[in-house]
Amino acid sequence: MEPVQAALWVVILLVVLALLFDFMNGFHDAANSIATVVSTGVLKPTQAVAFAAFFNVVAVFVFHLSVAATVGKGIVQPGIVDTHVVFGALVGAITWNVITWIYGIPSSSSHALIGGIVGAVIAKAGAGALIASGIWKTVAFIFVSPVLGFLLGSLMMVLVAWIFRRASPNRVDKWFRRLQLVSAGAYSLGHGGNDAQKTIGIIWLLLIATGYANAGDAEPPLWTIVSCYLAIGLGTMFGGWRIVKTMGQKITKLKPVGGFCAESGGALTLFFATFLGVPVSTTHTITGAIVGVGSTQRASAVRWGVAGNIVWAWILTIPASAFVASIAYWISLQLY
């Protein structure tokens, strides 16, 4: 089916809406990469957000656009997407991000966007219009990413404890205050590399659907790549302090060594997922890693009630954003 070229003003407005989502993604998920360095006192909040934003943007030079390709071409059957679907998907994702930000819940912007796409597509053409392999790959990593983060975070903690078993606590603290800058930078790099590409993917999807890009192109236009990485970096600069408090203080009490292990385990998980082209949740990943680090001390070190509330938010994200997206899709049909 040949794409129907939409009015330029509609496409521009939807690109702006997508960049707003990207900005909110950085704003909402800033906590994922800076909560531990703030809670351990390694960096002040203003220093931490600038540090994280820098690595968010630098990721444009590091990662291949495999996640963008999954979102742009691997979720929905060709010829289904139009401007109404994109509008519904973005409104569904943004609405869920705002709700969870207000209540300080570290939910997934990534899965809110996937849920938004799913809801809008089903509202238009039914579940048969979705590409099952792309959906199931994303859904699987709802469980894989926190488990992998948990395992790597806890293994890193055990390994570090064994290596530094003869060192004094003060010396360990001094070393890991420095090393935590490396791990926080790596996690921010992974955050930018995976999350900015989701917005690149939906803008690419929009441009293909409206005839402003070719489905056969190997990559989206350069301006989409640059604008999305800059947007997520700016969002991180503003930070989401309600969620920083939850991630950095309420789940478990972290020291610099624990922060280093959680960020390192989380970063390795993100690099792996981005290499596979899976739009994974940075929120799920770092939460799993933090819980893994806390659990190596003792089970009571983790506030399991807080962690449980976060898991419920994970479960609800895709269906809730899909529901809002389906309503937004219907509203858009009445608007233009």
Side-chain angles (χ1 to χ4, degrees):
M1 184 182 295
E2 288 298 319
V4 177
Q5 194 156 36
L8 182 59
W9 70 269
V10 174
V11 175
I12 291 172
L13 285 178
L14 288 173
V15 168
V16 171
L17 190 63
L19 292 176
L20 174 62
F21 167 78
D22 199 25
F23 175 88
M24 288 186 67
N25 191 338
F27 183 89
H28 190 277
D29 291 359
N32 299 344
S33 52
I34 66 173
T36 52
V37 287
V38 172
S39 67
T40 56
V42 172
L43 290 176
K44 294 178 181 178
T46 51
Q47 295 172 325
V49 290
F51 182 84
F54 172 77
F55 283 99
N56 279 175
V57 177
V58 167
V60 70
F61 302 108
V62 177
F63 297 101
H64 188 265
L65 296 173
S66 51
V67 174
T70 297
V71 176
K73 299 181 179 180
I75 301 292
V76 186
Q77 297 288 353
I80 299 298
V81 174
D82 58 17
T83 55
H84 302 290
V85 168
V86 173
F87 176 82
L90 289 170
V91 170
I94 289 171
T95 301
W96 184 247
N97 271 0
V98 170
I99 291 170
T100 52
W101 175 78
I102 289 172
Y103 289 99
I105 302 169
S107 68
S108 168
S109 298
S110 309
H111 292 131
L113 180 61
I114 299 300
I117 294 172
V118 167
V121 168
I122 290 177
K124 178 184 179 181
L130 299 170
I131 298 175
S133 59
I135 298 295
W136 284 116
K137 183 167 65 172
T138 303
V139 170
F141 265 78
I142 292 177
F143 307 98
V144 171
S145 66
V147 169
L148 194 55
F150 178 96
L151 291 174
L152 290 173
S154 56
L155 286 172
M156 289 280 293
M157 193 69 183
V158 170
L159 182 63
V160 166
W162 183 81
I163 292 173
F164 290 89
R165 64 191 184 279
R166 301 182 190 280
S168 67
N170 286 339
R171 187 179 180 186
V172 171
D173 187 77
K174 181 180 178 181
W175 269 100
F176 280 94
R177 281 182 175 274
R178 296 170 182 170
L179 288 173
Q180 207 183 348
L181 293 176
V182 177
S183 61
Y187 196 87
S188 296
L189 195 70
H191 174 215
N194 199 280
D195 277 20
Q197 288 195 41
K198 292 152 193 169
T199 307
I200 295 171
I202 197 164
I203 293 177
W204 196 5
L205 193 65
L206 169 68
L207 296 177
I208 291 171
T210 54
Y212 290 97
N214 296 317
D217 291 344
E219 292 188 354
L222 180 61
W223 65 264
T224 64
I225 300 169
V226 174
S227 60
C228 287
Y229 274 99
L230 289 176
I232 200 170
L234 284 172
T236 298
M237 282 288 288
F238 283 84
W241 302 118
R242 292 171 184 263
I243 300 171
V244 168
K245 186 176 180 181
T246 298
M247 296 293 290
Q249 299 172 13
K250 289 187 178 179
I251 297 176
T252 187
K253 185 66 177 175
L254 289 174
K255 294 181 179 179
V257 62
F260 170 83
C261 292
E263 289 160 352
S264 298
L268 289 172
T269 303
L270 291 183
F271 292 169
F272 175 65
T274 304
F275 173 76
L276 294 179
V278 181
V280 73
S281 169
T282 56
T283 308
H284 295 193
T285 303
I286 195 63
T287 302
I290 290 172
V291 171
V293 166
S295 65
T296 60
Q297 302 168 47
R298 59 185 187 281
S300 60
V302 178
R303 294 182 177 90
W304 295 103
V306 175
N309 291 337
I310 292 170
V311 170
W312 275 111
W314 295 354
I315 294 170
L316 290 172
T317 293
I318 288 181
S321 53
F323 176 72
V324 175
S326 63
I327 295 173
Y329 170 80
W330 180 83
I331 291 172
S332 73
L333 290 175
Q334 318 308 313
L335 293 177
Y336 66 92

